[in-house]
Every structure is written in C-alpha cells, then in structure tokens.
Amino acid sequence: MSIDMGKTGTAGQTPGTEEPPDTRIPTAAAEDRHRLTALQGLAALSLDAMASVAYGPESIVLVLGAAGAYGLGFTLPVTVAIAALLAVLVASYRQVIAAFPDGGGSYAVARRHLGRRTSLVAAASLILDYVLNVAVSVTAGVAALTSAFPGLYGERVWICLGVLVLVTAVNLRGVVESARAFLVPTAVFVGSILAMVVAGLFRDAPVSTASATGHASALGEGATAVGALLLLKAFAAGCSALTGVEAVANAVPSFRAPAARRAQRTEVALGALLGVMLIGLSVLIGRFHLQPVEGVTVLAQLADASFGHNAAFYVVQFATMVLLALAANTSFGGLPVLMSLLARDNHLPHVFALKADRQVHRHGVVWLALVSAVLLVFSGGDTNTLVPLFAIGVFIGFTICQVGMVRHWYGRRPRGWRAKAALNGFGALLTGVSAVVVTATKFTEGAWLIVVALPLLVLGFEKVHRAYTEIGERLELGRIPQAPHRSRSLVVVPVSGLSRLTSQALTAARSLGDEVLAVTVTHPSPEDRQVAEALRRDWELWKPGVELIELSSETRSLGRPLSAYVRELARAHPGSQVTVLIPETEPAHLWQRLLQNQRGSVVAHAVRRDTEAVICRLRFRITADAR
C-alpha cells in the first residue's frame, strides 16, 4: 500500500509505471511502436460493434415478427432510426475524443461536468458492459462453432475458456499485437458482409432458402397493428448493435500521436462501416421478405439468399463465428484504460494504473479475464443466459455522456454550440428511452442483476476512495513533511541456533542499529529446555557481543511472544526506532523452498499485525556450488 501511494500520490497525480527489463528510459518513438494506428485501432477496438451486426438486425426482426408480416415491414424504418442515433453518437464521441484526449469516455465527461457520483455510475455501467461483452462474445462465437459441429456442444465451457485464454494472451503482449492478430478476421468479416449486401441488391428473389427449410417459423399470426410500444421495444432491441461505439473514446491514449486525431478517424470509420452494414442488411430483409425461424440466424438466411448455399455461404458463417469470438478484444482494449483512470482518481487500487513495458495495463487485462471466466462457468457457456444482462450498461453510459456534453457546450459556448448541444440532447433522449425500455422488458430475465450491481460497484468505488483519502491524510500527502532526524535504533534478531546465517544476521543488525538484541523463543518442556540451555552455553562460548534474551511460550507459539516483546520494547524506549531483522535462507532450487519451515513468514506476519516496528528480511542465498 505504501509503495503504491508513494508512486501515485493524491488524486490527479500521474501514476508510476512498471519498469521494463531494459532500464533505459524509452524514447517517444519506441513507445509509439506499442501504440495503434487508425487502421489497427479499427481492428483492436471495433470488433464488438462490428460483430453486433450479427445479432442487432435479428433482434429487431424477432420483436417486430410478433406483429406478423405487417410488423416486419417496419424493419427498415427502425434500422434507419438506429443508424441516425449511431450518427449522433459518432459525432458526439468525436467531440469527446477532442475534449478528453486522456480517454475515459463517458466517465471523463461526467467527472468534469456532472459530478463525481454521476461519473462513478457511468464508470460502473461501462465496467459491467465490458465484462459482459467478453462473456457474450465468446459464448456467441462458440455457439456458432457448436452449431456447425454438434459433437462439441458438451465441451462448450472448456472451448469458451480456451478462446478467453487465447484473447488474453494476445492482449498481454500489447494492444498493437492484438490489433495485428485480429486485422485479417475483421477485414474478412466486413468484406463478406458488404459483398453479401451488394450481391443481394442485384437479386430479385432469394437464390436459396436451404438454411431455413424444415425450421419452424417464429412469425406471429393474425396481428396487423404495430403500436408505439412495439416500435420502441424493437428500437431498443436493435440498439444492441451500438455496443462498442464508445470503446474508441475510452482508449484514446492507446493511439499513436496525434492520438486524438487518429482516434477520431477510427470513430468515423467505425460509424460509417457499421451504419452501411446495418442499413444494407435491413434492406435485404425487406427485399427477400425474410421471416424469423427457429434455430437459424437472420444473417445465415441472408447469406443463403444472396450467395446461395455454397462456399460463400460458409465463408460468411465462419467469419461471423470468428469475429463474434474475438469481439471480446474490444473490452480488453477499453476497460484496462478506464480502470487506470479510476485508479488515478483513487477509486480503484493503484495497481490498475501500472503499465508494463509494452504499454499494457496487465493487471486490468488479467482481472477482466478472471471475472469473465467466472461468468462463462456460471452461465455454462450459454449465450441466452447472459444476453438479458447485456447492453443496459452501455445505454446508461451513452445517456450520461450525452448529457455531459450538453453541459460541456453550454459552459464553453463555441461557435455553433446550440446546434451541437441540441444534437447531444436529442441523443441523450433516445439512449435514455432505450435504457428504460430495455431494463423494463428484460428485468425479469436477469436485468435486475444490473440494477443491483450498479449501486454496489459505485459503493465500492466510494469505499476505495475513502480508504485512499484516509491514507493520504495520515501520510500528509501534498504537504511538506517535517525534516528527517536521526532516532536511536534498536534491532531485534530472532534466532533459533548458531550458524553462519546467525552471524551474518547479527553483523547486518549491528550495522543498522545502535543496540542489537538477539531473541529466542523457548518452551518449558524438558526436551526444549535442553535445546535452550545448549544454545545459551554455545552463545556464551561464542561471545558475539550481543545479549541473548529468552522468551517463554507455553503454547509453542513463535510470533505472538516475539511481537509482545517488541511492543514492550517500544513502550520502554519511546522515540526509538525498533527494527526486527529476520534471517532466512533462500535455496538454490525452487522446489527446495518446500523444505523450509516458514518461521520467518510467521514472525513477519505477527510483527506486522501487532506492532509498528520496521521489518527487515535478510536473505542468505544458498548457491548450487556452495560448500
């Protein structure tokens, strides 16, 4: 704890970084090698949004299908409304990137313009969304695999965990490495979807319906009216395709200089590709009069209708499967940066602000992987268990960000600020309505967990912040401390026998303190008394010039008698610095550590728990060629 506080200081100070093996200070050019270009950013941070075209249009069709064939006629208008909201969000997040180049997205906007508590709600919603995105993406990708190979269905949990380990390992090597690894799958997926849209536009009728043949229709019967509530529900369901739009704004520091400009280009490219694909797929749905069927995705039916049931059909399915599984990478790109900002502001442990030599927030990456693994095991690798919890958090973050940007424009008032504020206000209204509708319609299906988890996360942030505030006050951070002065030093050395280790420990202790006291703990049993008397005789013959003090322990406890003696020593010598020097051997081989009695750890734990003494652990290395 004290090491972290020493590095990070109070809120607003820049946290330290883990030093790479090469102790030379890295140049800006060397650091830039581990940052993203605009194209790499599109591959590393847009997989979630890109993959959402696999389930966004399907969500709209399933909702509107309840109103029969007449309801499906509203697929394109609902999709156009979602694309309009996408344009609003892209324009807004471009401004967020320019105004907040340190990243953080809705959290950074809310922290500056809406207050600390609101910013924590935004951060909590983003964290939940990112964690759930990993679980949903991996399970959806594996579900596509097991659909093609049903024999693997029983092993889906292990396959999910294997995919998670793969994505985590790639991200631990650096964000640039992950971008390079996922660039080809992203290009194949986007290319196949765009090719499918273009091919479908030249068809007057479906080339094939083989994928849907034999499957029961999920279309409602006898319904001819479409109400506003159904349209709102379809709009909210389709907005799941917008998840991931905020990831670029959250991870601006991951881009090469000029980071803000590259991130803005990535955001626009993401919005353009996503909008074209969503509207294109919606047009094909209407063109082919597609109906939802059980057990076959809308995307599979569209590929069948555009290309036919041939190799191109399987390319689309395979690319979709791979991208869905890898869409978890968006969370690995955005969440660790967000957690580092929360740690910088003292709302998370400072360890999440540390960076490794490849500009990786390793602790954030590992934490995300562990929590996601728990969710995967809990859900049994079933996507439907997790989907009701998904997308609520991102809508909350969208709404908070839009409201914050309205406050931003109102405070700055640049040229054209009214139009920009109106745009953000309209976006806040749309995303706010979507958040309410999704939460209400999915509440009994598991969305209540998000409603409970959000305030719990915010309370956790507050508790961490209070703890750091108390520590900062005790350490007087931000104030000039008293001038250092020399105190009388007492060094206590626990011993159990005479050896070279004992000699080195007393030598080190005499160089550290004004007075050295050797302490041994004894038990009144006859055999232990014999050992204690032998140690006393040998000590008197050795004459090290250090007093040997015996502490009796009726229960054979080692740590408690020693810590009690240290407390008495501190009371008897007020103003003196008491140090406990614990000598320990360090074997040449790792497996030999199992042979140690761990007495040093027991003593260190007791002294740390019960006293204010300084603990010094002297390591005596035993090399392989020692004699």
Side-chain angles (χ1 to χ4, degrees):
M1 181 71 74
S2 60
I3 294 176
D4 288 340
M5 291 298 299
K7 282 187 176 183
T8 58
T10 55
Q13 289 182 299
T14 302
T17 58
E18 296 175 1
E19 288 191 5
D22 185 355
T23 56
R24 293 174 297 178
I25 299 176
T27 63
E31 288 187 356
D32 247 15
R33 292 203 316 268
H34 302 299
R35 299 186 190 274
L36 298 169
T37 63
L39 183 60
Q40 291 170 340
L42 195 62
L45 301 172
S46 70
L47 295 181
D48 177 18
M50 294 293 185
S52 65
V53 302
Y55 49 79
E58 182 161 6
S59 300
I60 299 173
V61 169
L62 289 174
V63 173
L64 293 177
Y70 180 73
L72 291 178
F74 289 87
T75 300
L76 182 57
V78 171
T79 304
V80 170
I82 292 172
L85 177 57
L86 172 64
V88 172
L89 290 173
V90 169
S92 175
Y93 276 108
R94 283 189 77 254
Q95 302 302 326
V96 171
I97 290 168
F100 299 90
D102 291 333
S106 58
Y107 167 70
V109 174
R111 185 175 180 272
R112 180 179 297 179
H113 297 296
L114 300 177
R116 186 169 61 88
R117 183 64 60 85
T118 305
S119 72
L120 295 182
V121 173
S125 66
L126 285 173
I127 286 176
L128 290 174
D129 179 66
Y130 275 137
V131 173
L132 286 167
N133 172 58
V134 174
V136 169
S137 299
V138 171
T139 54
V142 173
L145 176 65
T146 56
S147 296
F149 303 97
L152 298 175
Y153 185 78
E155 306 297 328
R156 63 190 183 280
V157 174
W158 291 108
I159 298 173
C160 286
L161 293 176
V163 173
L164 179 62
V165 169
L166 173 64
V167 176
T168 303
V170 172
N171 278 275
L172 286 174
R173 290 187 56 81
V175 66
V176 171
E177 296 295 330
S178 69
R180 290 170 179 166
F182 302 146
L183 189 59
V184 172
T186 304
V188 171
F189 176 80
V190 173
S192 63
I193 296 297
L194 293 178
M196 182 178 69
V197 170
V198 172
L201 291 176
F202 286 96
R203 308 289 187 188
D204 294 326
V207 177
S208 169
T209 58
S211 60
T213 302
H215 293 267
S217 174
L219 197 65
E221 295 181 0
T224 58
V226 176
L229 183 59
L230 185 66
L231 291 176
L232 278 176
K233 188 175 179 181
F235 175 80
C239 279
S240 60
L242 303 182
T243 57
V245 174
E246 78 290 348
V248 176
N250 288 335
V252 178
S254 299
F255 285 85
R256 293 182 185 178
R261 187 175 302 171
R262 290 182 187 273
Q264 286 178 322
R265 291 172 183 169
T266 303
E267 187 73 52
V268 171
L270 169 59
L273 286 174
L274 184 56
V276 168
M277 288 191 291
L278 287 175
I279 294 177
L281 294 177
S282 179
V283 169
L284 293 187
I285 290 172
R287 188 177 186 85
F288 296 136
H289 305 290
L290 183 144
Q291 298 181 6
V293 297
E294 297 177 0
V296 180
T297 65
V298 168
L299 197 62
Q301 293 185 65
L302 289 177
D304 210 6
S306 297
F307 292 132
H309 209 74
N310 49 31
F313 169 82
Y314 288 102
V315 168
V316 173
Q317 295 306 105
F318 182 76
T320 303
M321 177 193 71
V322 172
L323 203 74
L324 277 169
L326 298 181
N329 193 68
T330 297
S331 295
F332 283 96
L335 182 57
V337 176
L338 175 62
M339 294 178 72
S340 73
L341 294 177
L342 286 166
R344 184 196 65 185
D345 295 335
N346 295 335
H347 294 301
L348 281 180
H350 288 165
V351 69
F352 289 111
L354 301 178
K355 278 187 179 181
D357 53 343
R358 289 177 176 264
Q359 301 298 309
V360 180
H361 297 284
R362 285 181 177 170
H363 298 282
V365 170
V366 171
W367 179 89
L368 174 58
L370 292 176
V371 176
S372 301
V374 171
L375 277 177
L376 290 172
V377 174
F378 170 77
S379 67
D382 181 22
T383 307
N384 294 327
T385 304
L386 298 167
V387 166
L389 311 179
F390 192 44
I392 296 175
V394 76
F395 286 138
I396 295 174
F398 282 162
T399 305
I400 291 175
C401 184
Q402 298 285 327
V403 173
M405 289 307 294
V406 171
R407 293 286 301 271
H408 175 79
W409 298 127
Y410 185 78
R412 297 287 183 96
R413 301 195 179 189
R415 178 180 300 178
W417 70 273
R418 286 185 176 86
K420 295 177 180 179
L423 187 67
N424 291 133
F426 181 63
L429 177 63
L430 293 179
T431 55
V433 169
S434 300
V436 172
V437 172
V438 172
T439 304
T441 55
K442 301 293 185 181
F443 189 82
T444 57
E445 300 178 30
W448 62 271
L449 286 172
I450 302 298
V451 177
V452 172
L454 268 175
L456 290 179
L457 269 177
V458 173
L459 290 176
F461 295 151
E462 295 279 20
K463 189 173 182 62
V464 171
H465 189 271
R466 284 196 298 271
Y468 275 127
T469 300
E470 292 172 3
I471 294 170
E473 290 175 352
R474 291 291 302 274
L475 294 178
E476 298 184 355
L477 293 175
R479 288 179 257 169
I480 299 177
Q482 296 179 354
H485 61 279
R486 189 182 188 282
S487 299
R488 184 170 180 269
S489 179
L490 301 174
V491 183
V492 177
V493 182
V495 297
S496 57
L498 293 186
S499 65
R500 182 179 174 185
L501 177 62
T502 308
S503 176
Q504 288 207 358
L506 294 180
T507 300
R510 296 186 73 168
S511 66
L512 291 174
D514 300 308
E515 182 178 351
V516 178
L517 301 170
V519 176
T520 185
V521 179
T522 63
H523 186 265
S525 64
E527 60 271 20
D528 285 352
R529 286 306 311 163
Q530 292 179 2
V531 174
E533 290 171 1
L535 175 60
R536 171 67 64 182
R537 288 194 302 269
D538 293 342
W539 196 273
E540 291 175 352
L541 290 173
W542 185 33
K543 296 180 181 180
V546 175
E547 180 183 0
L548 178 64
I549 299 171
E550 292 185 21
L551 304 176
S552 179
S553 172
E554 298 291 336
T555 61
R556 294 185 183 275
S557 173
L558 183 63
R560 291 186 182 277
L562 190 58
S563 63
Y565 173 74
V566 171
R567 287 200 306 271
E568 293 175 4
L569 196 64
R571 283 195 295 266
H573 299 84
S576 297
Q577 176 63 61
V578 180
T579 300
V580 179
L581 188 146
I582 304 172
E584 297 175 299
T585 58
E586 185 170 300
H589 303 288
L590 184 63
W591 68 268
Q592 292 176 336
R593 296 183 183 180
L594 299 174
L595 308 178
Q596 295 178 289
N597 54 31
Q598 305 301 323
R599 287 183 177 179
S601 298
V602 172
V603 171
H605 175 72
V607 172
R608 181 181 295 109
R609 181 191 58 206
D610 301 331
T611 76
E612 301 287 336
V614 174
I615 299 174
C616 178
R617 303 183 76 164
L618 176 69
R619 304 281 185 176
F620 181 80
R621 298 182 183 274
I622 300 177
T623 57
D625 57 348
R627 296 291 185 268

